[in-house]
Amino acid sequence: MLGSDPSILSGIRVVELAQFYAAPGAGALLGDMGAEVIAIERFDTPSPTRSMRKIGTADFTLPGGESALFQTVGRNKDSVAINLKDAKGRELVTSLVGEADVFLTNFREPMLQNAGLDHATLCGLFPGLVYAKVSGFGPSGPLKDSSGFDFLVQGFTGIMERLAESGSEMSSPVDLIIDQTAGMLTAYGVVAALFHRERTGSGQFLDTSLVGAAMNIFYNDALMALISGKKLDRHSRSEPGNPLRSYYQCADGKWLVCAHNPPARYARHIASMLGISEELLSEALPESEVVATLDNAFAAKSRDYWISRAREFDVVFSAVNSFPEAVQEEQIKQNYVTTFEEPGELGLSLPGFATVFSETPVRPRREAHELGQDTEVVLGRLLGLSASEVEALRGEGVVM
């Protein structure tokens, strides 16, 4: 029974000791699903994302000066600030983990071992614990203890080269795509491990790496390399392999994209839509000739005209949108743009969860809290410390 809260993870408690984006992103997603998430931050060196307003040239500063990046990964969480350099601080963290179902971290193994927060120690103390780690390169191998960042991993795994323009050796990576995916896969892994625990009573250790996330995003590129030692060909407008699966510019300068496989199934309908002979789209013709025919046809009318026309003929076309255009699409606004369940001062809209549930809604609960905002409440509620005891720890520099 879920009680009054219909959320998927209602009653699950997560203790998070993490920084930057991927692991905190996983915690935010678990919070969207209803878990109670307690974010432990080192108050001498809080999460860099709190003050991270730029990624490269992209500025994520909100009107009030806050970081939108931190609001996305800090959402739904109680903030507890603890000094991990102090033995009492480390004991507090261990005690909090003992009250949790999940421990989530992305700190490297040497630091975790020094603090007594490695998986061997914590899983030994708490056999039912799901210990979820986000690493850079995975749990074994020569780079297992190396630092990993999204930008770096896009180069290491081949993505940077894959996205390069034809004739260029590399491309600027897509910002945070690896971090975001690693966070999603970690949350997915946590839910699976909780399901396993429900069946067996046993917790476990799981490692989701940035490299693993990259290999999954570009799964078919990796598959091609493994089976043939070759790279997947980049899409070419002049020789796309299938001219009915490509993109074309319209009379207003805007682009549309079509995705028709197999082409023979759709050629007649597209020819009728364009008002041309089906023979001009024959697979027997040189690709460049068919592309030229389609270029000339689409250049005669506006994009809106062709999108409307495509719906009449039930063929598969879409606008090539910018992201500012995409988030204004009614289809996206109705399904994949959301707001906080508890309205906050910032009034943020965020990308919504990719899966829409009929009975167990998933959405952001509340905005990120200030550093240490919930220290006293959490230590009192979970560990039974009085206000005076917390104040004494504060005076000793153990908590903030």
mmCIF file of all heavy atoms in Angstrom, residues 127-128 193-204:
data_model
loop_
_atom_site.group_PDB
_atom_site.id
_atom_site.type_symbol
_atom_site.label_atom_id
_atom_site.label_comp_id
_atom_site.label_asym_id
_atom_site.label_seq_id
_atom_site.Cartn_x
_atom_site.Cartn_y
_atom_site.Cartn_z
ATOM 1 N N PRO A 127 23.407 -4.735 5.295
ATOM 2 C CA PRO A 127 23.273 -5.692 4.180
ATOM 3 C C PRO A 127 22.115 -5.397 3.234
ATOM 4 O O PRO A 127 22.146 -5.826 2.081
ATOM 5 C CB PRO A 127 23.058 -7.034 4.898
ATOM 6 C CG PRO A 127 23.615 -6.835 6.270
ATOM 7 C CD PRO A 127 23.363 -5.405 6.606
ATOM 8 N N GLY A 128 21.122 -4.660 3.682
ATOM 9 C CA GLY A 128 19.987 -4.348 2.816
ATOM 10 C C GLY A 128 20.176 -3.086 1.996
ATOM 11 O O GLY A 128 19.288 -2.685 1.234
ATOM 12 N N ALA A 193 17.444 -2.416 -8.421
ATOM 13 C CA ALA A 193 18.056 -3.008 -7.229
ATOM 14 C C ALA A 193 17.070 -3.037 -6.057
ATOM 15 O O ALA A 193 17.078 -3.983 -5.253
ATOM 16 C CB ALA A 193 19.311 -2.233 -6.848
ATOM 17 N N LEU A 194 16.234 -2.020 -5.948
ATOM 18 C CA LEU A 194 15.201 -2.009 -4.906
ATOM 19 C C LEU A 194 14.177 -3.118 -5.147
ATOM 20 O O LEU A 194 13.686 -3.750 -4.204
ATOM 21 C CB LEU A 194 14.511 -0.644 -4.860
ATOM 22 C CG LEU A 194 15.340 0.507 -4.279
ATOM 23 C CD1 LEU A 194 14.641 1.843 -4.522
ATOM 24 C CD2 LEU A 194 15.585 0.310 -2.783
ATOM 25 N N PHE A 195 13.863 -3.363 -6.400
ATOM 26 C CA PHE A 195 12.931 -4.451 -6.733
ATOM 27 C C PHE A 195 13.551 -5.797 -6.355
ATOM 28 O O PHE A 195 12.884 -6.673 -5.791
ATOM 29 C CB PHE A 195 12.601 -4.394 -8.226
ATOM 30 C CG PHE A 195 11.605 -5.428 -8.660
ATOM 31 C CD1 PHE A 195 10.298 -5.395 -8.194
ATOM 32 C CD2 PHE A 195 11.964 -6.432 -9.548
ATOM 33 C CE1 PHE A 195 9.368 -6.343 -8.598
ATOM 34 C CE2 PHE A 195 11.052 -7.381 -9.963
ATOM 35 C CZ PHE A 195 9.750 -7.345 -9.486
ATOM 36 N N HIS A 196 14.838 -5.942 -6.634
ATOM 37 C CA HIS A 196 15.544 -7.170 -6.244
ATOM 38 C C HIS A 196 15.543 -7.328 -4.727
ATOM 39 O O HIS A 196 15.338 -8.442 -4.209
ATOM 40 C CB HIS A 196 16.984 -7.106 -6.769
ATOM 41 C CG HIS A 196 17.863 -8.224 -6.268
ATOM 42 N ND1 HIS A 196 18.693 -8.077 -5.172
ATOM 43 C CD2 HIS A 196 18.032 -9.491 -6.706
ATOM 44 C CE1 HIS A 196 19.324 -9.216 -4.956
ATOM 45 N NE2 HIS A 196 18.958 -10.089 -5.870
ATOM 46 N N ARG A 197 15.759 -6.219 -4.017
ATOM 47 C CA ARG A 197 15.756 -6.287 -2.551
ATOM 48 C C ARG A 197 14.367 -6.668 -2.034
ATOM 49 O O ARG A 197 14.240 -7.409 -1.041
ATOM 50 C CB ARG A 197 16.193 -4.952 -1.957
ATOM 51 C CG ARG A 197 16.452 -5.029 -0.456
ATOM 52 C CD ARG A 197 16.752 -3.686 0.147
ATOM 53 N NE ARG A 197 15.577 -2.829 0.178
ATOM 54 C CZ ARG A 197 15.517 -1.655 0.812
ATOM 55 N NH1 ARG A 197 16.586 -1.201 1.445
ATOM 56 N NH2 ARG A 197 14.420 -0.936 0.793
ATOM 57 N N GLU A 198 13.334 -6.163 -2.676
ATOM 58 C CA GLU A 198 11.969 -6.499 -2.267
ATOM 59 C C GLU A 198 11.732 -8.000 -2.355
ATOM 60 O O GLU A 198 11.039 -8.589 -1.532
ATOM 61 C CB GLU A 198 10.978 -5.751 -3.164
ATOM 62 C CG GLU A 198 9.526 -5.894 -2.786
ATOM 63 C CD GLU A 198 9.161 -5.140 -1.513
ATOM 64 O OE1 GLU A 198 9.928 -4.245 -1.089
ATOM 65 O OE2 GLU A 198 8.107 -5.468 -0.929
ATOM 66 N N ARG A 199 12.335 -8.619 -3.365
ATOM 67 C CA ARG A 199 12.163 -10.054 -3.566
ATOM 68 C C ARG A 199 13.043 -10.888 -2.646
ATOM 69 O O ARG A 199 12.636 -11.968 -2.193
ATOM 70 C CB ARG A 199 12.508 -10.416 -5.010
ATOM 71 C CG ARG A 199 11.447 -10.041 -6.026
ATOM 72 C CD ARG A 199 11.899 -10.421 -7.426
ATOM 73 N NE ARG A 199 10.781 -10.537 -8.341
ATOM 74 C CZ ARG A 199 10.895 -10.869 -9.618
ATOM 75 N NH1 ARG A 199 12.101 -11.123 -10.128
ATOM 76 N NH2 ARG A 199 9.838 -10.972 -10.389
ATOM 77 N N THR A 200 14.277 -10.410 -2.394
ATOM 78 C CA THR A 200 15.265 -11.253 -1.705
ATOM 79 C C THR A 200 15.679 -10.747 -0.337
ATOM 80 O O THR A 200 16.255 -11.503 0.448
ATOM 81 C CB THR A 200 16.549 -11.346 -2.555
ATOM 82 O OG1 THR A 200 17.168 -10.057 -2.611
ATOM 83 C CG2 THR A 200 16.239 -11.821 -3.973
ATOM 84 N N GLY A 201 15.438 -9.463 -0.063
ATOM 85 C CA GLY A 201 15.886 -8.860 1.178
ATOM 86 C C GLY A 201 17.322 -8.382 1.140
ATOM 87 O O GLY A 201 17.818 -7.816 2.120
ATOM 88 N N SER A 202 17.998 -8.601 0.037
ATOM 89 C CA SER A 202 19.421 -8.269 -0.063
ATOM 90 C C SER A 202 19.650 -6.985 -0.846
ATOM 91 O O SER A 202 19.047 -6.772 -1.908
ATOM 92 C CB SER A 202 20.183 -9.407 -0.765
ATOM 93 O OG SER A 202 20.082 -10.594 -0.029
ATOM 94 N N GLY A 203 20.533 -6.147 -0.333
ATOM 95 C CA GLY A 203 20.968 -4.988 -1.080
ATOM 96 C C GLY A 203 22.090 -5.372 -2.029
ATOM 97 O O GLY A 203 22.454 -6.547 -2.142
ATOM 98 N N GLN A 204 22.664 -4.388 -2.699
ATOM 99 C CA GLN A 204 23.795 -4.667 -3.574
ATOM 100 C C GLN A 204 24.486 -3.371 -3.975
ATOM 101 O O GLN A 204 23.959 -2.266 -3.769
ATOM 102 C CB GLN A 204 23.359 -5.434 -4.825
ATOM 103 C CG GLN A 204 22.386 -4.704 -5.727
ATOM 104 C CD GLN A 204 22.022 -5.549 -6.945
ATOM 105 O OE1 GLN A 204 22.881 -5.928 -7.739
ATOM 106 N NE2 GLN A 204 20.735 -5.849 -7.083
#
